[in-house]
Amino acid sequence: MKANRIVYGDTLVELAAVRKELLVLDADVAKSIGTAQFAAAYPDRFINVGIAEQNMMGIAAGLATCGKLPFAATFGVFTSMRAVEQIRNAICYTGLNVKIAGTHGGLETGEDGATHQAVEDVAIIRSIPKIRLFIPSTPVATRYLTRLAAEVIGPVYLRFGRAPSPEFYDEDEEFPEGGSKVLREGEDIAIMAYGNMVSVAVQAAERLAEQGIYARVLDMYSIKPFDTEAVLKAASEVRGIITVEDHSIIGGLGGAVCEALSGGHQIPVIRLGLNDEFGRSGKGDELHELYGLTPERVIETALSIMEAADESLKGGR
Amino acid sequence: MNDVRELEQMAARMRMDCLQMIHDSNSGHPGGSLSATEILTVLYFYKMNIDVDNPRWPDRDRFVLSKGHAAPMVFAALANRGFFSKEEYKGFRRTGGNLQGTVSIHNPGGDMTVGSLGQYLSVAIGMAIAGRLDNKDYKVYAMLGDGELQEGQVWEALMLAPAMQLGNLVAILDNNHVQMCGKTDDILSLGDLRRKFEAFGWAVKRIDGHDISQIMSALDSIPVQLTGQPTMIIADTVKGKGVSYMEGTAQWHGGAPDDEQLAQAFRELGGAL
């Protein structure tokens, strides 16, 4: 298993060989975020601006006006919050070809605590016009989506966690923008997740199947553009939707799913994530446990949805 | 345009164009536009290596207006230089117009979409780095306001440019001493700017920002260099310069002259267009 942020850095090294205009910008976190190997491979195309995220985003914008392909990255809290106005005004409003990566998304950042855990970044970034937001779940998805980010014209934001990720995909799997992946089929419940929560969703679905409940698992890697069609399809085929994300339940995937269903669908949606609260210090997996981002919690939620659905069927009779 | 007298006439014309735009849309920022006039005149009509027929020419000099609300004066420079028709003035700050409240990269001759204070010296740094990487000898000019220096990001950029030895970067401070709510010294004094910039590693020149000859020679004295100290020109200016009732007052930071005030301004600036 490899952390997606490391795969991101490896992919940039690969890309740099063919994309001569590709540059990597850093606000002195390369050792943590996976771009140190790029710095070693391409020292002339690696710019550490010091601990100055706002300046970094502006520089990325300026480079893009001159035809460069800058990838600027730091912890998600700093990309999405410290430098959000720079992303909005200098990059997105302008529509410049800048790629941004926010690493250490969610509680799995762990011991550094709430100040370093981005639990609002998805909500913030997806509300900005003109930007795409991709959140890869596995190394294969990371490699594909990093390459896709380089290929499309315009601002792209990639979100990565901290911990290593298991692989669910074949090497040649494709992840088109605006799509999603069905990792398991099921007609009872749909579990939608992104990033490392996809693994939690898969584990929950496997154990639910043992109890005769079949959950469809969707990897919603493209938060923007969003696969509204897959959500609507699920809504018409299953009895309830569960969203799982290492992020606030406000404005993230849970929010996006509810927006997609705002046309009047009568389906329960339970959003799992941080319930309008901050994280704290601790080990990533312990924090996931503490805040209910576990297969057990997803299973419990699925069972309650199924129970309620059965009740309402009985009531209907 | 090399003749000082001609450049002065162009500055007067740009002032009138700018005030006309603000008057017609009943919205805009005359004070900080008028203080920047001579600097923009010299840049666009004397110094910058630009091509009206090829606004995106990769080898061109760049200009970034970090104090974004001086936009109408940049529009006046671009239109008089021939990048677009003066007909566009009518759309300034209006629904359906091409001239927004701030300069856009989509305006012919616009090198960057600007607007929010404090952000765009960083963008100019990006352009300067790109120039050096591509071994092009263009210069990047960034204009900042003195009030704008209260934004923290400016100091991140001021620290980095000398550390990276961006000798192709020129920052020009439109030091007009007035910001929206009063005198800069009364709100948050910037102290000894020359010493601050020098301590950060900039080559600092101080000039009268309304003296065309001084602006020309300050810009001419900067060597063509991809590497070296970046240059900071502290241009002392007067907010609202050229219109008696606007000079030196925060009252005309934002606001539009009415018909009578516009007529008076035109008389003071040497007559009708």
Side-chain angles (χ1 to χ4, degrees):
Chain A
M1 291 209 298
K2 214 166 182 182
N4 293 335
R5 62 199 158 95
I6 306 299
V7 179
Y8 161 74
D10 293 341
T11 308
L12 292 180
V13 173
E14 290 169 26
L15 277 169
V18 282
R19 299 292 296 270
K20 301 294 177 198
E21 73 280 24
L22 189 151
L23 304 169
V24 168
L25 274 66
D26 177 37
D28 203 42
V29 287
K31 279 189 198 168
S32 300
I33 67 166
T35 49
Q37 65 271 45
F38 186 96
Y42 294 100
D44 298 341
R45 289 157 69 181
F46 176 83
I47 304 165
N48 183 348
V49 304
I51 310 166
E53 297 79 11
Q54 301 172 29
N55 196 28
M56 174 170 72
M57 294 305 171
I59 292 169
L63 287 164
T65 68
C66 299
K68 299 296 177 192
L69 177 60
F71 276 77
T74 180
F75 283 32
V77 276
F78 308 129
T79 47
S80 73
M81 287 173 262
R82 175 71 67 102
V84 67
E85 201 220 331
Q86 288 72 18
I87 291 177
R88 177 188 187 269
N89 282 336
I91 297 172
C92 294
Y93 174 48
T94 306
L96 286 169
N97 199 25
V98 175
K99 317 303 166 179
I100 301 150
T103 68
H104 296 69
L107 296 171
E108 70 182 43
T109 300
E111 293 85 344
D112 282 349
T115 55
H116 284 56
Q117 296 161 348
V119 297
E120 312 89 341
D121 53 334
V122 176
I124 291 166
I125 296 299
R126 67 180 281 269
S127 70
I128 302 174
K130 286 195 196 178
I131 196 165
R132 295 170 171 91
L133 170 56
F134 304 143
I135 311 180
S137 57
T138 75
V140 165
T142 299
R143 187 161 182 275
Y144 191 97
L145 290 167
T146 303
R147 287 173 163 272
L148 180 62
E151 215 168 279
V152 299
I153 308 290
V156 177
Y157 189 102
L158 295 159
R159 187 201 206 222
F160 302 112
R162 180 191 183 196
S165 303
E167 189 54 73
F168 299 113
Y169 299 109
D170 294 335
E171 275 297 322
D172 57 356
E173 189 74 48
E174 294 186 355
F175 299 81
E177 65 170 308
S180 61
K181 290 281 161 191
V182 178
L183 277 165
R184 276 181 83 93
E185 290 292 354
E187 305 286 312
D188 292 324
I189 293 281
I191 309 171
M192 301 182 183
Y194 58 70
N196 278 357
M197 286 300 117
V198 170
S199 167
V200 169
V202 168
Q203 291 171 54
E206 282 168 357
R207 283 156 58 182
L208 280 165
E210 291 164 12
Q211 304 182 42
I213 293 167
Y214 297 95
R216 178 179 306 183
V217 175
L218 287 137
D219 178 351
M220 306 302 288
Y221 63 84
S222 181
I223 296 293
K224 196 177 183 184
F226 191 59
D227 194 352
T228 301
E229 213 172 292
V231 175
L232 293 175
K233 185 168 185 292
S236 65
E237 293 172 358
V238 302
R239 288 199 259 181
I241 295 173
I242 302 169
T243 60
V244 200
E245 57 193 316
D246 192 347
H247 182 273
S248 170
I249 58 167
I250 301 170
L253 174 62
V257 166
C258 292
E259 287 165 23
L261 294 170
S262 63
H265 288 265
Q266 301 290 320
I267 184 161
V269 178
I270 309 278
R271 294 166 294 151
L272 299 183
L274 276 84
N275 191 10
D276 200 14
E277 61 196 327
F278 289 108
R280 50 163 297 126
S281 283
K283 291 201 185 309
D285 49 357
E286 289 170 7
L287 293 175
H288 284 162
E289 187 87 36
L290 185 64
Y291 288 84
L293 292 168
T294 57
E296 292 73 25
R297 181 70 190 282
V298 176
I299 292 165
E300 205 179 284
T301 308
L303 292 174
S304 72
I305 290 175
M306 292 303 288
E307 207 172 294
D310 287 345
E311 285 297 315
S312 80
L313 273 180
K314 275 183 213 156
R317 282 171 201 156
Chain B
M1 210 181 272
N2 293 318
D3 183 70
V4 174
R5 181 82 199 109
E6 260 185 282
L7 287 163
E8 282 169 354
Q9 284 168 355
M10 180 53 69
R13 172 172 298 275
M14 281 166 46
R15 281 196 165 92
M16 289 185 276
D17 284 11
C18 172
L19 291 168
Q20 184 81 55
M21 269 184 262
I22 295 173
H23 165 271
D24 292 353
S25 69
N26 197 26
S27 169
H29 297 77
S33 299
L34 292 167
S35 62
T37 313
E38 279 78 11
I39 300 162
L40 290 169
T41 307
V42 173
L43 281 172
Y44 276 99
F45 291 89
Y46 168 72
K47 191 67 199 174
M48 286 201 327
N49 192 17
I50 46 180
D51 182 354
V52 172
D53 299 320
N54 186 8
R56 292 263 170 271
W57 178 39
D59 293 355
R60 73 191 185 281
D61 290 335
R62 269 82 170 161
F63 175 73
V64 178
L65 180 71
S66 197
K67 41 168 285 176
H69 278 158
M73 196 59 82
V74 174
F75 294 146
L78 292 173
N80 278 292
R81 192 72 171 72
F83 280 99
F84 49 77
S85 155
K86 291 191 179 187
E87 279 297 301
E88 297 281 356
Y89 288 171
K90 292 175 186 155
F92 174 60
R93 285 183 171 249
R94 285 171 188 269
T95 314
N98 293 319
L99 305 182
Q100 300 284 298
T102 54
V103 179
S104 163
I105 202 164
H106 305 298
N107 296 135
D111 291 318
M112 178 62 193
T113 303
V114 296
S116 182
L117 289 184
Q119 288 198 23
Y120 299 97
L121 182 57
S122 304
V123 173
I125 287 177
M127 294 172 172
I129 294 172
R132 185 156 76 191
L133 287 169
D134 293 340
N135 205 24
K136 291 184 184 296
D137 63 4
Y138 64 73
K139 276 201 159 40
V140 183
Y141 299 94
M143 180 187 277
L144 292 91
D146 52 339
E148 182 183 10
L149 298 180
Q150 290 159 1
E151 291 278 7
Q153 186 186 348
V154 176
W155 298 92
E156 295 182 358
L158 286 169
M159 213 183 315
L160 187 72
M164 288 193 75
Q165 285 288 294
L166 296 173
N168 52 352
L169 177 66
V170 181
I172 304 169
L173 182 71
D174 178 5
N175 194 28
N176 66 29
H177 308 282
V178 177
Q179 55 193 97
M180 186 198 273
C181 296
K183 289 196 186 333
T184 305
D185 275 345
D186 296 337
I187 290 162
L188 176 54
S189 175
L190 299 161
D192 187 337
L193 281 174
R194 175 187 274 276
R195 281 184 59 202
K196 283 181 176 168
F197 294 143
E198 281 175 350
F200 274 59
W202 291 73
V204 182
K205 301 173 192 295
R206 189 154 199 160
I207 59 167
D208 175 344
H210 297 304
D211 184 322
I212 298 265
S213 312
Q214 282 191 38
I215 302 167
M216 290 165 81
S217 52
L219 293 174
D220 285 345
S221 69
I222 303 164
V224 176
Q225 54 180 14
L226 290 181
T227 302
Q229 268 186 306
T231 303
M232 170 65 72
I233 298 175
I234 302 174
D236 288 309
T237 57
V238 174
K239 190 122 172 172
K241 174 73 176 179
V243 179
S244 58
Y245 59 89
M246 290 184 178
E247 284 191 1
T249 166
Q251 195 196 324
W252 283 96
H253 171 86
D258 61 23
D259 293 349
E260 201 177 307
Q261 288 166 327
L262 183 71
Q264 186 190 335
F266 272 44
R267 281 195 299 277
E268 292 179 11
L269 291 166
L273 287 174

